[in-house]
């Protein structure tokens, strides 16, 4: 399968990656080569084969007991931008999800 | 499962099809995947840890209590409990979503099927519940009063949610609101959620479309996100129904879109369209093994299940002889139902004979449905304890039953008791309130009224029987409301007809 | 590898307890050796400035109470995608600029609680994505055997650190061969345990369903002790096993070469295998036979698709795991982004290197609407067939032998232009991750150019103890010389040179 430039731009958008014009071209070629290789899977007969899944042992769950949280300052210490007790980001224009 | 006999309401000749998605926060002590407090109203970013902040190297660890509560809710709504269920990741970038994905149950939810009975003016129906699943809440973005930036508080990030998805089985705003009220009550009764709508622990997404009656295909569906009060749900739906009908009748198309309800204008409006195409790229969450639920876990939740509102209303009707409509109102608020029942137990033990118990039941029921309900609506559940606790209220109604206080006096005293934070009987004592029940006293009053109004007496005797009420009223007035109205009736009848 | 104090963990404990040397002396030796050699090898990304202090405190505790673990005072290094509270974790990426860990990885914490000393954090391919340690934002590490060759990757720094004698033991992570391939390239032992044996808590995730942490060491018994120390159930990782890690010690003790059936998948000795590596492996087969092991031919028909499956499953999970690096809560963010969307896109574009971006894009594509069925899901189905093949093979044998890498350590830049050829260097190691199996690489001497060759053993689930015992037998057959860096550094003091 060969990826077009617009395929790459779409995937880049989903991945939240800004790509330069030159990068888009290069990556379209690289990803196409890799996809062509991995498409070798198509020759495997998969009728009736379930996808790989986890174990069916009883799940080890956590007890509902609180543990001390981080302090606000500790939580925010490494933030690229903060305002008082909040993380700060450029104004969000899209409303909710 | 909607019954075909049921007549669907039409709106300007159109049928409305609605499915509701409710997100309700679970009453756990800690979050779904970390052990930070699950608590509303703490200062920003104080209930956070590396896990719920999405730090590198952290892994989710599933909270057992959230699974238990989910199972309990499922049992209450008659769902099938999946012995094995899965968690998936749902991806999108947003500042309130620390990991860049939400962990949610997608392919195989914990609970499927189930139903909820609703009752509206159009009759009784079952609304079927498609599925219920566990997922984590997002944090909060704040915009107000900040010009170029937004603020992020992650206290809510990772709080456990149960998402409850109905089938598109709902056909009017009234049905939607009744469904939501009953669902909320069910969750509160089972202690699965506090259902607190102001605090966002019970939120609703509305999927609404219209079609011509008889049509079997769905119209284009519009999703109205995050509506957080019953009133708004009703308003949003009424507006949206009209908007869609207007559009179609004007030859336009309804767009498949997400809208928001604006309470200030009462309108829904399209959300700013997301620039990127939405593609959540769900895939199995590799950090969480299959959720395998044991039979003993299910059994213990079945045992923990309290009496459900539906069952409680049935019991009030069958065992206590309460009217269906009254029973429905009584069970709608859990604290009120407890108050009612405790009072009934007291009357049961003090009443002599079935007749006197029935009298007490009717007085007590009507007292609760008028006075107590009004006060709890106005002031909250506080009025169910303290000076107006069951014990004190029963004492007050006892006075009415014994005839030493009129019902209207009792109502007045009850209102004052709440206002002045005194017990009703202390107030009765203080203000010397007693009902006049003495034959002689009452006879004197009646005779005075009759002699003051000779014209009316003559008219009554001449056949104008409607005047009887006038005489009763005058006697009551003369007694300053203290006369026992039943006895006044008897004496008046004897005097006028004798 | 070699040092003037001890040749194994057990010997360290003996020397320490008999006061032949102090913990501080040992720590100082490795620290100063690292300070001398690191500028040329570029193996460590950060050093623990508190290490000597800790050594001194441990000496004091030793004097008071003695030691109850061989690891008490033992110096180690950890790959810089493992977290240690209060220390930076870079993952060799610009996007984690300024990030300080809030917690310690369970694996590291368990060694620390026994008294180990973390000397420093080692270089890697960015987010463990690569097979050469060339994809590091802080420059490549050098192979101690030959500075023109890559040390392998992604745990190249940890492998080179042990090979160059900067630490007797180090930790790495292995998603598709990232411990075993650099172990082979650097001539040390490296093991990837069974999936679920060691907690991943505190390991920055690359591909969550494939990642496992494991040690590099000079000997099998040291690796065994490290696995036992780190293994077992962890309440911070739901995928950890309930099994007692002590079973590995019991299996190690009970294993005999004479009773061992070695599975030989002929297909894996096929095309693309370097002749000198083939030669070494054939010699090894013979030698094992001579020691009483029985050869069993095995077929792993779906392993031929290992790389295909791996590059879909691993990149899909990676695209998801790396979503959290968004410039909101920690790490790097571009200056003055025009709006929110720009902040995300430019931060991630500038913060991630080329290989990481390539894999994020590939994984996002493999999961995206319309393609998930044909790529991600299909890969997961083939993955289940690969696992099934192995389970059937282990009905007939105790371990499967292959080369670790199809080639000797390659030169810098040799494969960076062609991502696919780099991916192919994981062809022998990748299937163990896809099947969740334990596997190790053990040195079997040098090739014609004086570069190390590794043999690869894959075992059934939870068979680490037996695999390590087999590795010990093999090591005895191949006494390894030391790489040249061990000569010519006389200034580092050994025991007795106190001053
Ligand atoms: Mg949801
Ligand atoms: Zn938390």
């Amino acid at each position: 399968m060969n990826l077009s430039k617009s395929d790459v731009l779409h995937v880049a958008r989903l991945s939240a990656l800004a790509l330069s014009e030159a990068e888009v071209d290069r990556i379209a070629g690289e990803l196409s080569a890799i996809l062509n290789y991995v498409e070798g899977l198509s020759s495997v007969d998969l009728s009736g084969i379930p996808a790989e899944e986890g174990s069916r042992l009883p799940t080890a769950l956590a007890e509902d007991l609180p543990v001390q949280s981080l302090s606000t300052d500790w939580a925010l210490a490494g933030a690229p931008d903060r305002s008082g007790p909040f993380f700060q980001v450029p104004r969000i224009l899209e409303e909710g999800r | 499962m909607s019954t075909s006999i049921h007549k669907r309401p039409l709106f300007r000749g159109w049928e409305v099809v609605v499915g509701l998605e409710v997100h309700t926060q679970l009453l756990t002590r800690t979050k779904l995947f970390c052990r930070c407090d699950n608590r509303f109203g703490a200062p920003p970013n104080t209930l956070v840890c590396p896990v719920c902040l999405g730090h590198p190297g952290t892994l989710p660890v599933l909270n057992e209590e959230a699974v238990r509560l989910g199972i309990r809710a499922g049992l209450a709504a008659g769902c099938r409990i999946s012995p094995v269920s899965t968690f998936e990741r749902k991806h999108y970038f947003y500042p309130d979503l620390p990991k860049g994905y939400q962990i949610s149950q997608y392919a195989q939810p914990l609970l499927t099927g189930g139903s909820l009975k609703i009752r509206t003016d159009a009759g009784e129906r079952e609304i079927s519940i498609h599925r219920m699943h566990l997922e984590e809440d997002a944090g909060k973005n704040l915009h107000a009063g900040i010009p170029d930036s937004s603020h992020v508080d992650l206290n809510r990030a990772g709080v456990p949610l149960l998402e409850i998805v109905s089938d598109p089985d709902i056909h009017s705003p009234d049905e939607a609101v009744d469904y939501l009220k009953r669902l909320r009550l069910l969750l509160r009764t089972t202690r699965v959620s506090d259902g607190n709508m102001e605090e966002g622990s019970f939120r609703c997404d509305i999927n609404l479309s219209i079609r011509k009656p008889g049509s079997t295909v769905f119209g284009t569906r519009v999703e109205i996100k995050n509506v957080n009060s019953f009133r708004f749900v009703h308003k949003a739906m009424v507006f949206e129904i009209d908007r869609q009908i207007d559009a179609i009748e004007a030859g336009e198309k309804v767009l498949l879109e997400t809208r928001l309800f604006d309470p200030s204008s009462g309108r829904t409006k399209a959300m700013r369209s997301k620039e990127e195409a939405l593609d959540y790229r769900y895939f199995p969450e590799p950090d969480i093994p299959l959720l395998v639920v044991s039979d003993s876990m299910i059994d213990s939740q079945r045992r923990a299940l309290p009496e459900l509102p539906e069952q409680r209303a049935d019991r009030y009707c069958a065992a206590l002889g309460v009217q269906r409509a009254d029973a429905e109102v009584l069970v709608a608020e859990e604290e009120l139902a407890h108050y009612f029942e405790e009072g009934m137990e007291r009357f049961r033990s003090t009443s002599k004979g079935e007749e006197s118990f029935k009298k007490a039941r009717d007085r007590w029921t009507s007292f609760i449905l008028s006075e107590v309900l009004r006060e709890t609506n106005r002031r909250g559940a506080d009025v169910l304890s303290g000076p107006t606790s069951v014990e004190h209220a029963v004492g007050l109604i006892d006075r009415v039953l014994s005839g030493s206080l009129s019902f209207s006096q009792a109502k007045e005293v009850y209102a004052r008791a709440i206002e002045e934070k005194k017990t009703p009987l202390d107030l009765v004592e203080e203000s010397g309130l007693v009902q006049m029940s003495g034959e002689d006293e009452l006879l004197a009053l009646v005779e005075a009224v009759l002699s003051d109004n000779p014209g009316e007496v003559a008219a009554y005797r001449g056949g104008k029987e409607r005047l009887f009420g006038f005489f009763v009223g005058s006697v009551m007035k003369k007694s300053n409301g203290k006369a026992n109205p039943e006895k006044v009736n008897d004496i008046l009848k004897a005097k006028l007809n004798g | 590898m070699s040092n003037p104090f001890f040749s194994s963990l057990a010997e360290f404990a003996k020397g320490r307890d008999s006061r032949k040397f102090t913990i501080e002396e040992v720590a100082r030796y490795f620290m100063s050796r690292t300070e001398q050699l690191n500028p040329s090898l570029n193996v460590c990304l950060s050093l623990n400035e508190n290490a000597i202090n800790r050594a001194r405190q441990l000496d004091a505790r030793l004097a008071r109470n003695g030691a109850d673990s061989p690891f008490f005072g033992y110096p180690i290094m950890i790959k810089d995608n493992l977290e240690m509270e209060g220390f930076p974790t870079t993952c060799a990426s610009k996007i984690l600029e300024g990030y300080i860990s809030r917690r310690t990885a369970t694996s590291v914490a368990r060694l620390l609680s026994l008294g180990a000393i973390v000397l420093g954090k080692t270089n890697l391919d960015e987010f463990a994505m690569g097979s050469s340690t060339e994809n590091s934002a802080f420059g490549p590490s050098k192979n101690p055997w030959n500075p023109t060759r890559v040390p392998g990757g992604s745990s190249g720094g940890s492998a080179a650190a042990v090979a160059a004698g900067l630490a007797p033991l180090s930790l790495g992570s292995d998603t598709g061969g990232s411990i075993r391939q650099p172990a082979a390239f650097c001539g040390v032992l490296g093991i990837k345990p069974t999936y679920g044996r060691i907690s991943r808590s505190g390991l920055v995730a690359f591909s969550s369903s494939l990642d496992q942490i494991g040690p590099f060491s000079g000997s099998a018994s040291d690796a065994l002790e490290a696995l036992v120390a780190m293994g077992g159930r962890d309440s911070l990782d739901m995928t950890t096993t309930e099994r007692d890690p002590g079973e590995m010690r019991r299996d190690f003790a009970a294993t005999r070469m004479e009773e061992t059936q070695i599975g030989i998948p002929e297909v894996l000795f096929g095309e693309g295998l370097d002749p000198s590596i083939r030669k070494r492996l054939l010699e090894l087969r013979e030698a094992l036979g001579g020691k009483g092991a029985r050869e069993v031919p095995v077929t792993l028909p779906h392993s031929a698709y290992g790389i295909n499956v791996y590059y879909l499953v691993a990149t899909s999970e990676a695209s998801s795991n790396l979503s959290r690096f968004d410039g909101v809560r920690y790490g790097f963010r571009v200056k003055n982004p025009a709006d929110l969307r720009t902040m995300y896109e430019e931060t991630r574009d500038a913060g991630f290197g080329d290989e990481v971006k390539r894999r994020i894009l590939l994984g996002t594509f493999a999961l995206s609407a319309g393609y998930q069925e044909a790529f991600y899901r299909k890969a997961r189905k083939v993955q289940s067939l690969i696992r099934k093949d192995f389970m059937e093979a282990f009905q007939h044998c105790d371990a499967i032998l292959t080369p670790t890498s199809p080639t000797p350590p390659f030169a810098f830049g040799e494969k960076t232009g062609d991502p696919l050829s780099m991916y192919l260097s994981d062809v022998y190691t990748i299937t163990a991750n896809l099947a969740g199996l334990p596997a190790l690489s053990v040195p079997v001497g040098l090739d014609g150019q004086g570069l190390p060759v590794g043999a690869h053993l894959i075992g059934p689930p939870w068979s680490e103890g037996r695999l390590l015992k087999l590795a010990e037998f093999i090591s005895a057959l191949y006494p390894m010389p030391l790489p040249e860096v061990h000569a010519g550094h006389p200034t580092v003091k050994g025991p007795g040179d106190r001053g």
Side-chain angles (χ1 to χ4, degrees), chain C residues 83-307:
Chain C
E83 295 206 281
M84 201 155 105
E85 188 185 341
F87 287 81
T89 300
T90 67
C91 294
S93 181
K94 182 178 174 184
I95 208 153
L96 274 165
E97 196 174 270
Y99 178 70
I100 304 293
S101 286
R102 307 300 205 254
R103 305 200 307 197
T104 302
T106 300
S107 51
V108 177
R110 287 184 178 174
L111 287 170
L112 287 176
S113 75
L114 296 177
I117 303 172
V118 173
L119 299 176
K121 304 190 76 182
T122 58
N123 202 2
L124 64 152
D125 284 300
E126 185 178 2
F127 286 104
M129 296 179 185
S131 308
S132 64
T133 318
E134 288 167 289
N135 299 329
S136 166
F138 307 107
S141 298
K142 303 279 162 56
N143 191 319
W145 291 86
N146 181 337
T148 68
R149 302 301 173 114
V150 302
S154 65
S155 312
S158 284
V162 172
L166 309 190
L169 189 126
S170 66
L171 299 185
S173 66
D174 189 315
T175 308
S178 278
I179 289 175
R180 292 158 289 156
Q181 185 253 24
F185 279 17
C186 293
V188 298
L189 187 139
I191 179 164
K192 175 203 97 75
T194 314
Y195 186 81
R197 176 69 87 182
I198 295 180
S199 168
R200 292 177 295 115
S201 177
L203 167 67
V204 182
F206 160 14
S207 178
S208 314
S209 72
L210 306 174
D211 297 341
Q212 270 294 294
I213 296 163
F216 293 93
S217 63
S219 73
S221 57
D222 287 15
L224 174 73
E225 289 307 314
L227 289 187
V228 173
M230 293 188 287
R233 169 96 191 115
D234 177 20
S235 62
L236 298 176
D237 178 357
M238 293 185 79
T239 63
T240 48
T241 181
E242 298 282 354
R243 298 173 77 98
D244 169 22
E247 69 178 343
M248 292 183 281
R249 255 190 217 131
R250 295 190 287 276
D251 291 346
F252 188 84
T255 300
R256 306 276 173 274
M257 185 56 93
E258 308 84 65
E259 295 156 14
T260 302
Q261 322 252 21
I262 304 280
I264 307 287
E266 295 297 344
V267 65
L268 291 186
F269 285 92
E271 222 181 306
L273 180 60
D274 182 275
S276 71
I277 294 177
R278 184 196 311 272
K279 187 164 161 271
R280 279 262 161 248
L281 265 289
L282 292 174
E283 276 168 33
L284 174 63
R285 280 169 68 173
E286 207 152 305
L288 292 179
K291 295 283 167 190
R294 288 238 326 271
E295 258 189 37
V296 182
V298 295
T299 51
L300 300 166
H302 296 96
S303 285
Y305 300 103
I307 302 244

Side-chain angles (χ1 to χ4, degrees), chain B residues 158-337:
Chain B
V159 161
L161 294 175
L162 189 67
E163 179 173 331
I164 302 160
V165 184
S166 86
D167 275 327
D169 243 7
I170 294 165
H171 300 293
S172 74
D174 285 349
E175 288 185 356
V177 168
D178 194 62
Y179 167 84
L180 291 172
K181 282 185 170 167
R182 284 174 197 274
L183 180 60
R184 178 174 173 273
L185 177 63
L186 192 72
L187 296 167
R188 284 167 56 86
T189 308
T190 48
R191 305 276 178 274
V192 166
S193 173
D194 66 14
N196 192 323
M197 299 178 86
E198 291 84 58
E199 296 179 0
S201 52
F202 187 90
R203 319 193 288 267
C204 178
D205 299 343
I206 307 163
N207 288 292
L208 188 149
S209 63
I210 60 169
R211 65 180 173 192
K212 276 293 174 192
S215 165
T216 52
V217 293
F218 292 114
T220 305
R221 171 176 59 90
V222 164
E223 182 175 16
I224 310 165
K225 276 269 183 210
N226 259 325
V227 192
N228 62 359
S229 87
F230 297 136
R231 208 157 51 88
F232 292 166
V233 167
H234 201 276
K235 277 188 160 177
M237 285 178 65
V238 167
F239 177 84
E240 188 60 24
I241 291 167
D242 270 331
R243 190 188 71 83
Q244 292 189 15
I245 295 175
D246 288 348
I248 293 177
E249 289 185 348
E252 293 159 17
K253 267 194 173 154
V254 173
L255 299 177
L256 180 74
E257 64 184 358
T258 304
R259 299 176 72 86
L260 286 176
F261 177 68
D262 173 22
S264 60
S265 66
R267 306 165 68 88
T268 67
K269 55 175 194 206
M271 262 167 67
R272 179 180 278 270
S273 75
K274 287 146 212 156
E275 292 158 65
E276 87 271 31
L278 271 190
D279 178 354
Y280 293 129
R281 288 162 283 137
Y282 283 100
F283 81 100
E285 165 57 275
D287 291 327
I288 303 181
L290 296 175
L291 174 56
V292 179
V293 173
S294 66
D295 288 344
S296 72
M297 197 166 180
I298 298 171
D299 287 344
S300 77
Q301 286 313 306
R302 192 170 279 127
R303 282 194 298 276
L305 215 55
E307 183 183 41
L308 303 178
E310 179 82 32
Q311 301 163 338
R312 180 174 283 162
D314 289 348
R315 179 166 58 83
Y316 288 1
C317 296
L320 299 175
V322 175
Q323 298 291 311
R324 184 88 227 173
D326 290 349
E328 289 283 330
V329 179
L330 286 169
V331 301
E333 283 297 333
E334 227 199 332
E335 286 106 326
L336 199 70

Side-chain angles (χ1 to χ4, degrees), chain B residues 21 23 90 102 104 133 135-136 161 163 205 225 282:
Chain B
E21 279 171 34
H23 288 90
K90 174 183 181 179
Q102 179 197 32
S104 175
H133 67 254
E135 63 181 27
E136 57 180 336
L161 294 175
E163 179 173 331
D205 299 343
K225 276 269 183 210
Y282 283 100

Side-chain angles (χ1 to χ4, degrees), chain A:
Chain A
M1 143 147 225
N2 283 314
L3 288 191
S4 67
K5 270 171 77 167
S6 82
D7 291 335
V8 173
L9 285 172
H10 172 70
V11 175
R13 187 114 195 116
L14 288 177
S15 309
L17 282 170
L19 297 181
S20 68
E21 192 72 12
E23 269 182 307
V24 174
D25 278 333
R26 176 171 57 77
I27 287 172
E30 288 169 355
L31 292 189
S32 298
I34 298 169
L35 285 172
N36 284 326
Y37 179 86
V38 297
E39 270 185 323
L41 287 182
S42 308
S43 57
V44 186
D45 178 13
L46 292 174
S47 43
I49 303 297
E52 182 69 14
E53 48 169 53
S55 90
R56 287 180 182 248
L57 296 172
T59 317
L61 301 166
E63 267 193 84
D64 187 25
L65 295 173
V67 171
Q68 184 65 47
S69 297
L70 295 176
S71 77
T72 309
D73 276 338
W74 197 210
L76 289 159
D81 191 11
R82 65 181 279 190
S83 169
F86 297 103
F87 297 98
Q88 183 158 267
V89 294
R91 179 86 177 171
I92 299 169
L93 295 173
E94 300 166 17
E95 298 172 74
R97 289 279 164 162

